[in-house]
Amino acid sequence: LNEFEAIRRISGRLPDPPPEVIVPIGDDCAVLRFGDALWVVAADMLIEERHFRGSWATPEDVGYKAVAVNVSDVAAMGAVPRFVLASGGAPEAETTLRCMEGVLEACEEFGAYPLGGDTTGAAALTVDVAILGQLAHAPVLRSGADPGDLLAVTGELGASAAGLLALENGETAPERLIKKHLRPEPRVTLGRAAARLGASAMIDLSDGLASDVRHVCEMSDVGCCIDLGLLPVAGDTREYALSAGRDPEILAATGGEDYELLVAAPEEVVEALAAESEVPVTVVGQTTRGRVEFVRDGKPVENLSGWDHFADA
Amino acid sequence: LNEFEAIRRISGRLPDPPPEVIVPIGDDCAVLRFGDALWVVAADMLIEERHFRGSWATPEDVGYKAVAVNVSDVAAMGAVPRFVLASGGAPEAETTLRCMEGVLEACEEFGAYPLGGDTTGAAALTVDVAILGQLAHAPVLRSGADPGDLLAVTGELGASAAGLLALENGETAPERLIKKHLRPEPRVTLGRAAARLGASAMIDLSDGLASDVRHVCEMSDVGCCIDLGLLPVAGDTREYALSAGRDPEILAATGGEDYELLVAAPEEVVEALAAESEVPVTVVGQTTRGRVEFVRDGKPVENLSGWDHFADA
């Protein structure tokens, strides 16, 4: 049983949605119509020893990241974050409070207003954030990709995974990579621009490109071909991966927690997006009428897989 | 440091709220205006060994209760539950899924539609629910009580606490009391009626009457006098409390998790509420210009205290 089977089992039991529901469970966010406006909602939970270790993430980091990963889900619909609810628990009240300080810091950073939540005791530091975002354009769903769309990613891949490797090795450098892991930068401006420009499909890269592109392809009923040689992998990421005995492109495709966006769109939309964005937009492949394929140097790469939410960290 | 100090420390750091925010953090729910409608939002988290033991609550019970306690917060504003996000984790994927089945069962029971959430691995069964409710009338806040209002409670008190005693003693009876603890019945219809009839203030009884009435009094800047002899304590609750060596009225005033409503309102409003409600509405005291006081047989009762969210269960 993995998370996607769980969602399928759960969503198979749902009654018909009320009229406000434009998009139900199954995308980065659900979409609701309240009056004239479209809103998106999502939630994500972080738990010590599953998503982070207390030895390398401060409670503030954890609270900050819990908001950032939800903001990333909002960005992946083309929406902007507006309101947050945060529930947290830890063995010490002071730890819970420090985690909530991180929540507030992120709310300030991303322009979301905290509406409350819950605090409790817990054996392991735990924080769950629910978020409300607002759309100015039609939402960009996972299901809208057409065969022949370009597949582009924002920013860079693998930096967070390399930072995680460093943390797991007990290191405090490279600092840039570690910061990428602990304090992700969700792509709100870029996601909104993609919605305005008419991207076909979008998802945020939380489980890793290899896994997340499958969700887009399955829901859009398309295949794809991704060239690992095209992935935007920074020099320091590449260097650290190699020093740790890891293949940089495989790490970038499967490491997860990039919190970049994967955009499927016609060529002219990708070009317009790249032209107006301060963050790099890199074409890494294309959707097809075939199956999901990864290649490098013209040869197929098999067995790339991503994160299973039920497995241990 | 307790939860209320934490809320004060956190809310002291908040920027000015956006225009949609009618009531910010600090009440049972925050209140938002979306278009023409008023919405309430809240979140509550349950964690194994803090809020329940795996030996006496099934995962389905836990998921169900996580929704029910949020519905109770919605009811305490006079709103009806509409949408739910649920995040859950457990050591086994199957346990998480069973917890989510309980979430769905409660959503069906209370008429809320599940919009998604998150599932993960966790050392202890953990579930956090965020809820969106809708108001048909002005929200009833904790802060609106006037001196001389009657204080009335819905249903009965102490049954849940007696059920918890039974569970902690490893017993499977009395079944009615145990069910009251595991599957609370939030008072949605009654809360909505209280809002329509113009109640002054309202709160749901989660921490226990002795603690929760203090929140109403502090936020309304009133005192109160509650007569423990007036508390609606059922015969089986009384009997079980006595058999466990506990004072029934003290248990009813401090045990917590009743998920009944405490309503402050002028006499005619309480009478109208009692007249139209199928659930008993019992006057237990009155607000005053003095301090918060509890009496029994005409004598003061001191040192009644409720639940501290940071303390162990």
Side-chain angles (χ1 to χ4, degrees):
Chain A
L1 186 79
N2 68 30
E3 188 182 54
F4 305 104
E5 286 163 17
I7 289 173
R8 267 192 284 271
R9 271 171 66 175
I10 287 168
S11 57
R13 276 201 42 179
L14 296 185
D16 286 339
E20 292 96 340
V21 178
I22 310 299
V23 178
I25 195 171
D27 215 301
D28 291 274
C29 298
V31 183
L32 297 170
R33 185 186 299 280
F34 290 146
D36 293 335
L38 290 179
W39 292 80
V40 301
V41 301
D44 258 312
M45 182 183 258
L46 301 184
I47 301 186
E48 191 170 349
E49 295 304 317
R50 303 284 160 157
H51 300 93
F52 62 91
R53 301 234 166 81
S55 55
W56 46 254
T58 67
E60 289 87 348
D61 288 335
V62 175
Y64 186 98
K65 186 165 177 175
V67 174
V69 303
N70 275 283
V71 169
S72 185
D73 280 323
V74 165
M77 305 301 287
V80 297
R82 293 295 317 282
F83 298 106
V84 156
L85 290 164
S87 296
E92 315 287 330
E94 194 60 35
T95 306
T96 307
L97 197 62
R98 287 179 58 194
C99 176
M100 290 299 169
E101 298 277 348
V103 166
L104 291 185
E105 196 186 329
C107 283
E108 214 160 56
E109 175 70 25
F110 304 121
Y113 188 80
L115 288 175
D118 192 18
T119 54
T120 179
L125 176 56
T126 302
V127 57
D128 184 49
V129 167
I131 195 161
L132 275 165
Q134 198 168 9
L135 283 160
H137 308 277
V140 186
L141 308 186
R142 295 180 178 179
S143 56
D146 297 308
D149 276 341
L150 295 186
L151 289 168
V153 298
T154 63
E156 58 176 306
L157 303 185
S160 169
L164 176 59
L165 282 179
L167 289 167
E168 288 179 337
N169 290 336
E171 292 166 18
T172 57
E175 275 180 42
R176 192 188 80 88
L177 303 181
I178 287 172
K179 186 156 182 229
K180 277 282 188 187
H181 185 74
L182 295 177
R183 302 249 171 171
E185 300 170 74
R187 301 304 186 189
V188 176
T189 307
L190 220 152
R192 186 167 44 172
R196 174 169 42 79
L197 293 167
S200 315
M202 195 151 59
I203 190 171
D204 84 314
L205 296 175
S206 54
D207 298 345
L209 175 64
S211 176
D212 291 320
V213 74
R214 283 178 207 278
H215 306 323
V216 169
C217 288
E218 271 180 34
M219 292 183 70
S220 297
D221 199 19
V222 297
C224 72
C225 184
I226 301 256
D227 185 342
L228 298 187
L230 297 177
L231 302 191
V233 184
D236 53 355
T237 300
R238 197 172 289 278
E239 197 178 323
Y240 191 82
L242 289 171
S243 78
R246 302 289 288 264
D247 180 313
E249 279 96 24
I250 303 289
L251 185 69
T254 61
E257 299 217 59
D258 301 296
Y259 300 107
E260 299 289 354
L261 298 175
L262 171 67
V263 183
E267 187 172 3
E268 63 274 17
V269 171
V270 173
E271 277 171 9
L273 191 61
E276 77 168 66
S277 170
E278 290 174 15
V279 176
V281 174
T282 307
V283 174
V284 297
Q286 199 160 7
T287 55
T288 66
R289 295 186 188 279
R291 57 187 200 87
V292 174
E293 293 175 288
F294 302 91
V295 300
R296 182 158 56 173
D297 301 328
K299 295 190 204 93
V301 180
E302 304 290 349
N303 298 322
L304 286 183
S305 69
W307 171 257
D308 179 349
H309 291 245
F310 280 121
D312 282 11
Chain B
L1 183 79
N2 67 29
E3 188 182 53
F4 305 103
E5 287 162 18
I7 290 173
R8 267 192 283 271
R9 272 171 67 174
I10 287 167
S11 58
R13 277 199 43 179
L14 296 186
D16 286 339
E20 292 95 341
V21 178
I22 310 299
V23 178
I25 195 171
D27 214 301
D28 291 274
C29 297
V31 183
L32 297 169
R33 184 186 300 279
F34 291 146
D36 292 336
L38 290 179
W39 292 80
V40 302
V41 300
D44 258 310
M45 183 183 257
L46 300 185
I47 301 187
E48 190 171 349
E49 294 306 317
R50 303 282 159 159
H51 300 93
F52 62 91
R53 301 235 165 82
S55 55
W56 45 253
T58 67
E60 290 87 348
D61 288 335
V62 174
Y64 185 99
K65 186 165 177 176
V67 174
V69 304
N70 275 283
V71 169
S72 184
D73 280 323
V74 165
M77 305 301 286
V80 296
R82 293 296 316 281
F83 298 107
V84 156
L85 289 165
S87 296
E92 314 288 331
E94 194 60 35
T95 306
T96 307
L97 196 62
R98 286 179 59 193
C99 176
M100 290 299 169
E101 298 277 347
V103 166
L104 291 186
E105 195 186 330
C107 282
E108 213 161 56
E109 175 70 26
F110 304 122
Y113 188 79
L115 288 174
D118 192 16
T119 54
T120 180
L125 177 57
T126 302
V127 57
D128 184 49
V129 167
I131 196 161
L132 276 164
Q134 197 168 8
L135 283 160
H137 309 277
V140 185
L141 308 185
R142 294 180 178 180
S143 56
D146 297 308
D149 277 341
L150 294 187
L151 288 168
V153 299
T154 63
E156 59 176 307
L157 302 185
S160 169
L164 175 59
L165 283 179
L167 288 168
E168 288 179 337
N169 290 337
E171 290 167 21
T172 57
E175 276 180 41
R176 192 188 80 89
L177 303 181
I178 287 173
K179 184 154 185 231
K180 277 280 188 189
H181 185 74
L182 295 177
R183 304 249 170 170
E185 299 171 74
R187 301 304 186 189
V188 176
T189 306
L190 218 152
R192 186 167 44 173
R196 174 170 43 78
L197 293 168
S200 315
M202 194 152 58
I203 190 171
D204 83 313
L205 296 175
S206 54
D207 298 344
L209 175 65
S211 178
D212 291 318
V213 74
R214 283 178 206 278
H215 306 323
V216 169
C217 287
E218 272 180 32
M219 292 184 70
S220 296
D221 200 19
V222 297
C224 72
C225 184
I226 301 256
D227 186 342
L228 298 187
L230 297 177
L231 303 191
V233 183
D236 52 356
T237 300
R238 196 173 291 278
E239 196 177 324
Y240 191 83
L242 289 171
S243 77
R246 302 288 287 264
D247 180 313
E249 279 96 24
I250 301 291
L251 185 70
T254 62
E257 300 217 57
D258 301 296
Y259 301 107
E260 299 288 353
L261 298 175
L262 171 67
V263 183
E267 186 171 3
E268 63 275 18
V269 171
V270 172
E271 277 171 10
L273 191 61
E276 78 168 65
S277 170
E278 289 174 17
V279 176
V281 174
T282 308
V283 174
V284 296
Q286 199 160 9
T287 55
T288 65
R289 295 183 188 279
R291 56 186 201 87
V292 174
E293 294 175 287
F294 302 90
V295 299
R296 181 158 54 175
D297 301 327
K299 295 191 203 97
V301 179
E302 303 291 349
N303 299 322
L304 286 185
S305 68
W307 170 258
D308 179 349
H309 291 246
F310 280 121
D312 282 11

